[in-house]
Amino acid sequence: MISVSEQAMFFLLALSKNVFYYDDFTRKGDWTNRWDVKAWDLAQKNILVIGFGRIGSNFVKRALAFDMNVYVYDPYVEKEKVKISGAIPVDNISENLQKMDAVTLHCPKNDETTDLFTKKEFNLMKKSSFIINCARGGILNEEDLYEALTNKKIAGAGLDVFDVEPTPSSNPLFKLNNVILSPHIAGVTVESTVRMATETVQNVLDVLDDKVNQSVVINNKEIGMK
């Protein structure tokens, strides 16, 4: 959860600071573009976090630390829990997109969230806004995202997940310079691999000691746990 939320924040910072644009002309020794302003501050910008689970809630803390105005959409989480975090709960995605400077996805992929963002939603977003997906491929419609990016309906995207994985190099999104990509590795860091191994071993030991941590059980009903 920490690693994925950090990757999403990295995407947000890289997009808002237009990191590849500035890196490119700096390497060329060309400072004539220095005042061609293409960077944005995160402070006081509005961001919509979709999904307030372990990853989404961790991202909220990081966005608040950058003095962002953080909004959360998660119909399965009590609004009071969102408010306690310092974020603002919202009931509807479409009704809030027009005021958002960025959107980040941290929800599971299911019947409700497949194609959650299509041409309709991209057309509602600011032309200066960004969208980030470190959740699952298919939550964003890739064809519609490509159209939105090429037609400047939105400013940029950060993608760690795709409809097809591994994603072929022929993916048209790869040709765009306003997209930052990674190969579904947001949750793969030195620390996260250690945490996963340690927690797995601890879970096995807990079962043997008859003190199962219910928060890590995904089939409570099937094994007779409430």
Side-chain angles (χ1 to χ4, degrees):
M1 56 184 176
I2 294 172
S3 304
V4 179
S5 60
E6 286 190 359
Q7 180 77 3
M9 181 56 71
F10 157 72
F11 279 151
L12 180 60
L13 282 165
L15 289 165
S16 64
K17 300 306 178 184
N18 219 318
V19 63
F20 293 120
Y21 171 78
Y22 288 116
D23 179 83
D24 180 58
F25 76 70
T26 304
R27 290 175 186 274
K28 294 175 181 176
D30 177 11
W31 285 43
T32 58
N33 291 337
R34 184 164 175 257
W35 294 106
D36 183 12
V37 182
K38 293 182 180 294
W40 298 82
D41 290 340
L42 293 185
Q44 304 309 312
K45 296 298 190 301
N46 298 330
I47 185 166
L48 176 61
V49 181
I50 298 179
F52 194 70
R54 292 188 299 172
I55 296 172
S57 58
N58 265 268
F59 181 88
V60 165
K61 291 190 291 186
R62 285 153 178 77
L64 288 170
F66 277 85
D67 293 327
M68 299 190 76
N69 304 314
V70 184
Y71 298 79
V72 170
Y73 173 80
D74 193 325
Y76 299 99
V77 174
E78 293 181 4
K79 292 182 180 179
E80 191 58 34
K81 185 176 180 180
V82 174
K83 292 178 181 178
I84 290 173
S85 76
I88 304 165
V90 298
D91 294 319
N92 186 285
I93 294 175
S94 296
E95 291 178 1
N96 289 276
L97 286 177
Q98 291 179 334
K99 67 181 179 183
M100 295 301 158
D101 299 291
V103 176
T104 183
L105 305 176
H106 300 291
C107 56
K109 181 185 178 183
N110 52 38
D111 291 342
E112 293 180 63
T113 61
T114 297
D115 280 344
L116 187 64
F117 274 75
T118 62
K119 183 184 298 186
K120 173 187 174 183
E121 286 71 32
F122 294 130
N123 285 339
L124 291 173
M125 295 173 67
K126 290 183 178 182
K127 291 184 177 181
S128 59
S129 65
F130 307 120
I131 192 159
I132 296 164
N133 188 7
C134 289
R136 287 292 184 270
I139 298 175
L140 300 181
N141 183 290
E142 285 189 9
E143 291 183 5
D144 290 352
L145 174 62
Y146 176 81
E147 183 180 330
L149 290 165
T150 53
N151 293 329
K152 309 299 182 184
K153 296 292 185 180
I154 62 174
L159 305 175
D160 182 58
V161 291
F162 304 89
D163 289 352
V164 177
E165 297 182 355
T167 308
S169 58
S170 59
N171 189 325
L173 289 167
F174 288 13
K175 300 176 183 179
L176 303 181
N177 60 9
N178 55 349
V179 180
I180 301 177
L181 309 167
S182 59
H184 205 152
I185 48 78
V188 184
T189 64
V190 171
E191 293 83 359
S192 70
T193 54
V194 173
R195 284 195 298 268
M196 285 189 287
T198 303
E199 290 176 10
T200 299
V201 171
Q202 187 61 56
N203 291 337
V204 172
L205 293 174
D206 286 346
V207 170
L208 295 175
D209 293 336
D210 196 26
K211 54 177 184 179
V212 178
N213 178 0
Q214 291 195 24
S215 68
V216 300
V217 178
I218 62 172
N219 57 339
N220 287 329
K221 183 179 179 180
E222 287 76 7
I223 65 176
M225 295 179 63
K226 294 183 179 181

